[in-house]
Amino acid sequence: MRARIALVAGIGIGYVLGARAGRESYEKIKTQATNVWHDPKVQEGIKATEETIKEKAPVVAEKAKEAAATAADKTKAKVEEVKETRAEHKAEKTAEKAVKDAPADVVSDPATAPEDEGPAVS
């Protein structure tokens, strides 16, 4: 209803600003707009709209609150997923670097102390 009123008001203002007839056209439009605004049917529509808004506002607010909470939960879950993925990638890169940096010619024997180990013999 308000959108219609705003549209009518916008059209009226555009006409007034664009009209070359001057003050007479302005007064005519102003009178018509005032008559429409004060029309009992229009006022009933406005009151009905206000009542509907007052009735529906708490419901809409609750649904918006629930939607926001759901969105927050989904966002938190996605953040955790991204953190886990990053941690996995970091662990993979660390393992790859350790393998890459490890000397290839050292053979490890559990019975030998690490300081006594040396290069592999071919």
Side-chain angles (χ1 to χ4, degrees), residues 61-105:
E62 184 63 31
K63 287 186 178 187
K65 185 178 176 181
E66 290 171 6
T70 301
D73 290 342
K74 287 181 179 180
T75 302
K76 287 178 185 176
K78 189 65 175 176
V79 166
E80 289 302 318
E81 182 182 324
V82 168
K83 284 182 180 179
E84 289 173 8
T85 303
R86 283 186 178 173
E88 289 171 4
H89 285 293
K90 186 176 180 181
E92 287 173 5
K93 286 190 177 195
T94 303
E96 287 173 5
K97 187 173 190 276
V99 169
K100 182 180 174 186
D101 293 344
D105 62 342

Short mmCIF file of all heavy atoms in Angstrom, two decimals, residues 61-105:
data_model
loop_
_atom_site.label_atom_id
_atom_site.label_comp_id
_atom_site.label_asym_id
_atom_site.label_seq_id
_atom_site.Cartn_x
_atom_site.Cartn_y
_atom_site.Cartn_z
N ALA A 61 10.25 -10.92 12.80
CA ALA A 61 11.47 -10.72 13.59
C ALA A 61 12.02 -12.05 14.09
O ALA A 61 13.23 -12.29 14.06
CB ALA A 61 11.20 -9.77 14.75
N GLU A 62 11.13 -12.93 14.55
CA GLU A 62 11.57 -14.24 15.05
C GLU A 62 12.17 -15.08 13.93
O GLU A 62 13.21 -15.72 14.11
CB GLU A 62 10.39 -14.97 15.70
CG GLU A 62 10.76 -16.29 16.33
CD GLU A 62 11.76 -16.17 17.47
OE1 GLU A 62 11.76 -15.15 18.17
OE2 GLU A 62 12.56 -17.10 17.64
N LYS A 63 11.52 -15.05 12.76
CA LYS A 63 12.06 -15.81 11.63
C LYS A 63 13.41 -15.26 11.19
O LYS A 63 14.32 -16.02 10.85
CB LYS A 63 11.07 -15.80 10.47
CG LYS A 63 9.87 -16.68 10.72
CD LYS A 63 8.98 -16.79 9.51
CE LYS A 63 7.82 -17.73 9.81
NZ LYS A 63 7.02 -18.01 8.64
N ALA A 64 13.55 -13.94 11.21
CA ALA A 64 14.83 -13.33 10.85
C ALA A 64 15.91 -13.72 11.86
O ALA A 64 17.05 -14.02 11.49
CB ALA A 64 14.69 -11.81 10.78
N LYS A 65 15.53 -13.77 13.13
CA LYS A 65 16.48 -14.17 14.18
C LYS A 65 16.92 -15.62 13.98
O LYS A 65 18.11 -15.93 14.09
CB LYS A 65 15.81 -13.99 15.54
CG LYS A 65 16.71 -14.26 16.72
CD LYS A 65 15.96 -14.01 18.02
CE LYS A 65 16.78 -14.36 19.22
NZ LYS A 65 16.07 -14.15 20.48
N GLU A 66 15.96 -16.49 13.67
CA GLU A 66 16.28 -17.90 13.42
C GLU A 66 17.18 -18.05 12.19
O GLU A 66 18.14 -18.83 12.20
CB GLU A 66 15.00 -18.71 13.23
CG GLU A 66 14.19 -18.87 14.50
CD GLU A 66 12.82 -19.49 14.24
OE1 GLU A 66 12.54 -19.90 13.09
OE2 GLU A 66 12.03 -19.57 15.20
N ALA A 67 16.86 -17.29 11.14
CA ALA A 67 17.66 -17.37 9.92
C ALA A 67 19.09 -16.88 10.19
O ALA A 67 20.06 -17.45 9.69
CB ALA A 67 17.02 -16.54 8.81
N ALA A 68 19.21 -15.82 10.99
CA ALA A 68 20.54 -15.31 11.32
C ALA A 68 21.32 -16.34 12.14
O ALA A 68 22.52 -16.54 11.91
CB ALA A 68 20.42 -14.00 12.09
N ALA A 69 20.65 -16.98 13.07
CA ALA A 69 21.33 -18.01 13.89
C ALA A 69 21.77 -19.18 13.02
O ALA A 69 22.89 -19.69 13.17
CB ALA A 69 20.41 -18.49 15.00
N THR A 70 20.91 -19.60 12.10
CA THR A 70 21.26 -20.69 11.19
C THR A 70 22.45 -20.30 10.32
O THR A 70 23.38 -21.09 10.14
CB THR A 70 20.05 -21.05 10.30
OG1 THR A 70 18.97 -21.43 11.15
CG2 THR A 70 20.38 -22.17 9.35
N ALA A 71 22.41 -19.08 9.80
CA ALA A 71 23.53 -18.61 8.97
C ALA A 71 24.82 -18.56 9.78
O ALA A 71 25.89 -18.92 9.27
CB ALA A 71 23.20 -17.24 8.38
N ALA A 72 24.73 -18.12 11.03
CA ALA A 72 25.91 -18.06 11.88
C ALA A 72 26.48 -19.46 12.13
O ALA A 72 27.69 -19.67 12.08
CB ALA A 72 25.57 -17.39 13.21
N ASP A 73 25.59 -20.42 12.38
CA ASP A 73 26.04 -21.80 12.60
C ASP A 73 26.71 -22.37 11.36
O ASP A 73 27.76 -23.01 11.45
CB ASP A 73 24.86 -22.69 13.00
CG ASP A 73 24.33 -22.38 14.39
OD1 ASP A 73 25.05 -21.72 15.17
OD2 ASP A 73 23.18 -22.78 14.68
N LYS A 74 26.11 -22.13 10.20
CA LYS A 74 26.70 -22.61 8.95
C LYS A 74 28.06 -21.95 8.71
O LYS A 74 29.00 -22.61 8.25
CB LYS A 74 25.77 -22.34 7.77
CG LYS A 74 24.57 -23.24 7.75
CD LYS A 74 23.69 -22.95 6.54
CE LYS A 74 22.48 -23.87 6.49
NZ LYS A 74 21.64 -23.60 5.32
N THR A 75 28.16 -20.68 9.01
CA THR A 75 29.43 -19.97 8.83
C THR A 75 30.49 -20.53 9.76
O THR A 75 31.63 -20.75 9.34
CB THR A 75 29.23 -18.46 9.09
OG1 THR A 75 28.23 -17.97 8.19
CG2 THR A 75 30.51 -17.70 8.89
N LYS A 76 30.12 -20.77 11.00
CA LYS A 76 31.08 -21.35 11.96
C LYS A 76 31.56 -22.72 11.49
O LYS A 76 32.75 -23.03 11.57
CB LYS A 76 30.46 -21.46 13.35
CG LYS A 76 30.30 -20.15 14.06
CD LYS A 76 29.62 -20.34 15.41
CE LYS A 76 29.35 -19.02 16.09
NZ LYS A 76 28.61 -19.17 17.35
N ALA A 77 30.63 -23.53 11.00
CA ALA A 77 31.00 -24.85 10.51
C ALA A 77 31.94 -24.75 9.32
O ALA A 77 32.92 -25.50 9.23
CB ALA A 77 29.74 -25.64 10.12
N LYS A 78 31.66 -23.82 8.42
CA LYS A 78 32.52 -23.64 7.25
C LYS A 78 33.91 -23.15 7.67
O LYS A 78 34.92 -23.60 7.12
CB LYS A 78 31.88 -22.65 6.28
CG LYS A 78 32.57 -22.56 4.96
CD LYS A 78 32.46 -23.87 4.21
CE LYS A 78 33.04 -23.76 2.83
NZ LYS A 78 33.04 -25.02 2.11
N VAL A 79 33.96 -22.25 8.65
CA VAL A 79 35.26 -21.76 9.14
C VAL A 79 36.06 -22.92 9.73
O VAL A 79 37.27 -23.04 9.47
CB VAL A 79 35.05 -20.63 10.18
CG1 VAL A 79 36.33 -20.34 10.95
CG2 VAL A 79 34.54 -19.37 9.50
N GLU A 80 35.41 -23.76 10.51
CA GLU A 80 36.11 -24.92 11.08
C GLU A 80 36.60 -25.85 9.99
O GLU A 80 37.71 -26.38 10.07
CB GLU A 80 35.19 -25.66 12.06
CG GLU A 80 34.93 -24.91 13.34
CD GLU A 80 36.20 -24.58 14.10
OE1 GLU A 80 37.11 -25.44 14.19
OE2 GLU A 80 36.31 -23.44 14.59
N GLU A 81 35.77 -26.05 8.97
CA GLU A 81 36.17 -26.90 7.84
C GLU A 81 37.40 -26.33 7.14
O GLU A 81 38.34 -27.06 6.82
CB GLU A 81 35.00 -27.00 6.86
CG GLU A 81 35.27 -27.89 5.67
CD GLU A 81 34.08 -27.90 4.71
OE1 GLU A 81 32.92 -27.86 5.17
OE2 GLU A 81 34.33 -27.95 3.49
N VAL A 82 37.39 -25.03 6.93
CA VAL A 82 38.54 -24.39 6.28
C VAL A 82 39.78 -24.51 7.15
O VAL A 82 40.88 -24.79 6.65
CB VAL A 82 38.22 -22.90 5.95
CG1 VAL A 82 39.47 -22.14 5.54
CG2 VAL A 82 37.17 -22.81 4.87
N LYS A 83 39.62 -24.32 8.47
CA LYS A 83 40.77 -24.45 9.38
C LYS A 83 41.34 -25.86 9.33
O LYS A 83 42.57 -26.04 9.29
CB LYS A 83 40.35 -24.12 10.81
CG LYS A 83 40.19 -22.66 11.09
CD LYS A 83 39.81 -22.44 12.55
CE LYS A 83 39.64 -20.98 12.87
NZ LYS A 83 39.26 -20.77 14.28
N GLU A 84 40.45 -26.86 9.32
CA GLU A 84 40.91 -28.25 9.26
C GLU A 84 41.64 -28.52 7.95
O GLU A 84 42.68 -29.18 7.93
CB GLU A 84 39.72 -29.21 9.41
CG GLU A 84 39.14 -29.24 10.80
CD GLU A 84 37.87 -30.06 10.89
OE1 GLU A 84 37.52 -30.74 9.89
OE2 GLU A 84 37.23 -30.03 11.95
N THR A 85 41.09 -28.02 6.86
CA THR A 85 41.71 -28.21 5.55
C THR A 85 43.08 -27.56 5.52
O THR A 85 44.05 -28.15 5.02
CB THR A 85 40.82 -27.62 4.44
OG1 THR A 85 39.54 -28.25 4.50
CG2 THR A 85 41.42 -27.84 3.07
N ARG A 86 43.17 -26.37 6.06
CA ARG A 86 44.47 -25.69 6.10
C ARG A 86 45.47 -26.46 6.95
O ARG A 86 46.64 -26.58 6.59
CB ARG A 86 44.31 -24.26 6.66
CG ARG A 86 43.74 -23.30 5.67
CD ARG A 86 43.75 -21.91 6.23
NE ARG A 86 43.24 -20.97 5.25
CZ ARG A 86 43.02 -19.69 5.51
NH1 ARG A 86 43.27 -19.21 6.72
NH2 ARG A 86 42.56 -18.89 4.58
N ALA A 87 45.01 -26.97 8.09
CA ALA A 87 45.90 -27.74 8.96
C ALA A 87 46.37 -29.01 8.24
O ALA A 87 47.55 -29.38 8.33
CB ALA A 87 45.19 -28.10 10.26
N GLU A 88 45.47 -29.67 7.51
CA GLU A 88 45.85 -30.87 6.76
C GLU A 88 46.88 -30.53 5.69
O GLU A 88 47.88 -31.25 5.53
CB GLU A 88 44.61 -31.50 6.11
CG GLU A 88 43.68 -32.16 7.10
CD GLU A 88 42.36 -32.58 6.46
OE1 GLU A 88 42.21 -32.43 5.23
OE2 GLU A 88 41.48 -33.05 7.21
N HIS A 89 46.64 -29.43 4.96
CA HIS A 89 47.60 -29.03 3.93
C HIS A 89 48.96 -28.68 4.53
O HIS A 89 49.99 -29.03 3.97
CB HIS A 89 47.06 -27.84 3.13
CG HIS A 89 45.99 -28.20 2.17
ND1 HIS A 89 46.19 -28.98 1.06
CD2 HIS A 89 44.66 -27.89 2.15
CE1 HIS A 89 45.07 -29.13 0.41
NE2 HIS A 89 44.11 -28.48 1.05
N LYS A 90 48.92 -28.02 5.67
CA LYS A 90 50.17 -27.65 6.33
C LYS A 90 50.92 -28.90 6.77
O LYS A 90 52.15 -29.00 6.59
CB LYS A 90 49.89 -26.75 7.53
CG LYS A 90 51.13 -26.20 8.18
CD LYS A 90 50.79 -25.24 9.29
CE LYS A 90 52.06 -24.70 9.93
NZ LYS A 90 51.77 -23.77 11.02
N ALA A 91 50.19 -29.87 7.33
CA ALA A 91 50.83 -31.12 7.77
C ALA A 91 51.41 -31.87 6.57
O ALA A 91 52.53 -32.41 6.65
CB ALA A 91 49.82 -31.99 8.50
N GLU A 92 50.67 -31.89 5.46
CA GLU A 92 51.16 -32.55 4.25
C GLU A 92 52.44 -31.89 3.75
O GLU A 92 53.41 -32.57 3.38
CB GLU A 92 50.09 -32.53 3.15
CG GLU A 92 48.94 -33.47 3.40
CD GLU A 92 47.82 -33.31 2.38
OE1 GLU A 92 47.98 -32.52 1.42
OE2 GLU A 92 46.78 -33.96 2.55
N LYS A 93 52.43 -30.55 3.72
CA LYS A 93 53.62 -29.84 3.23
C LYS A 93 54.81 -30.07 4.16
O LYS A 93 55.94 -30.22 3.70
CB LYS A 93 53.32 -28.35 3.10
CG LYS A 93 52.45 -28.06 1.91
CD LYS A 93 52.36 -26.58 1.64
CE LYS A 93 51.53 -26.36 0.39
NZ LYS A 93 51.66 -25.05 -0.14
N THR A 94 54.54 -30.10 5.46
CA THR A 94 55.62 -30.34 6.42
C THR A 94 56.19 -31.75 6.21
O THR A 94 57.41 -31.94 6.21
CB THR A 94 55.11 -30.18 7.86
OG1 THR A 94 54.57 -28.87 8.01
CG2 THR A 94 56.20 -30.39 8.87
N ALA A 95 55.33 -32.73 6.01
CA ALA A 95 55.78 -34.11 5.79
C ALA A 95 56.56 -34.21 4.48
O ALA A 95 57.61 -34.87 4.42
CB ALA A 95 54.59 -35.06 5.77
N GLU A 96 56.06 -33.55 3.44
CA GLU A 96 56.76 -33.56 2.15
C GLU A 96 58.15 -32.93 2.29
O GLU A 96 59.13 -33.43 1.74
CB GLU A 96 55.95 -32.81 1.09
CG GLU A 96 54.72 -33.55 0.62
CD GLU A 96 53.85 -32.71 -0.29
OE1 GLU A 96 54.25 -31.57 -0.65
OE2 GLU A 96 52.77 -33.18 -0.66
N LYS A 97 58.22 -31.84 3.03
CA LYS A 97 59.51 -31.16 3.22
C LYS A 97 60.46 -32.05 4.01
O LYS A 97 61.65 -32.13 3.70
CB LYS A 97 59.31 -29.83 3.95
CG LYS A 97 60.56 -29.00 4.04
CD LYS A 97 60.25 -27.64 4.61
CE LYS A 97 61.40 -26.71 4.50
NZ LYS A 97 62.40 -26.72 5.45
N ALA A 98 59.94 -32.72 5.04
CA ALA A 98 60.78 -33.60 5.85
C ALA A 98 61.32 -34.74 5.00
O ALA A 98 62.50 -35.10 5.10
CB ALA A 98 59.99 -34.15 7.04
N VAL A 99 60.48 -35.31 4.14
CA VAL A 99 60.93 -36.39 3.26
C VAL A 99 61.95 -35.86 2.27
O VAL A 99 62.97 -36.49 2.01
CB VAL A 99 59.72 -37.02 2.52
CG1 VAL A 99 60.18 -37.94 1.41
CG2 VAL A 99 58.85 -37.77 3.51
N LYS A 100 61.68 -34.69 1.73
CA LYS A 100 62.58 -34.10 0.74
C LYS A 100 63.94 -33.76 1.36
O LYS A 100 64.99 -33.96 0.75
CB LYS A 100 61.95 -32.82 0.17
CG LYS A 100 62.76 -32.16 -0.89
CD LYS A 100 62.04 -30.91 -1.39
CE LYS A 100 62.91 -30.14 -2.36
NZ LYS A 100 62.28 -28.88 -2.75
N ASP A 101 63.92 -33.25 2.59
CA ASP A 101 65.16 -32.84 3.25
C ASP A 101 65.92 -34.00 3.90
O ASP A 101 67.08 -33.85 4.28
CB ASP A 101 64.86 -31.78 4.33
CG ASP A 101 64.38 -30.48 3.72
OD1 ASP A 101 64.57 -30.28 2.50
OD2 ASP A 101 63.81 -29.65 4.47
N ALA A 102 65.29 -35.15 4.05
CA ALA A 102 65.95 -36.29 4.68
C ALA A 102 67.05 -36.82 3.76
O ALA A 102 66.86 -36.92 2.55
CB ALA A 102 64.94 -37.39 4.97
N PRO A 103 68.20 -37.17 4.34
CA PRO A 103 69.27 -37.73 3.50
C PRO A 103 68.83 -39.09 2.95
O PRO A 103 68.31 -39.93 3.68
CB PRO A 103 70.45 -37.86 4.44
CG PRO A 103 69.93 -37.65 5.82
CD PRO A 103 68.59 -37.01 5.72
N ALA A 104 69.02 -39.26 1.68
CA ALA A 104 68.57 -40.48 1.01
C ALA A 104 69.51 -41.66 1.24
O ALA A 104 69.11 -42.79 1.04
CB ALA A 104 68.43 -40.22 -0.48
N ASP A 105 70.74 -41.39 1.65
CA ASP A 105 71.69 -42.49 1.73
C ASP A 105 71.89 -43.01 3.14
O ASP A 105 72.84 -43.73 3.41
CB ASP A 105 73.03 -42.02 1.15
CG ASP A 105 73.62 -40.86 1.93
OD1 ASP A 105 72.88 -40.20 2.66
OD2 ASP A 105 74.82 -40.63 1.79
#
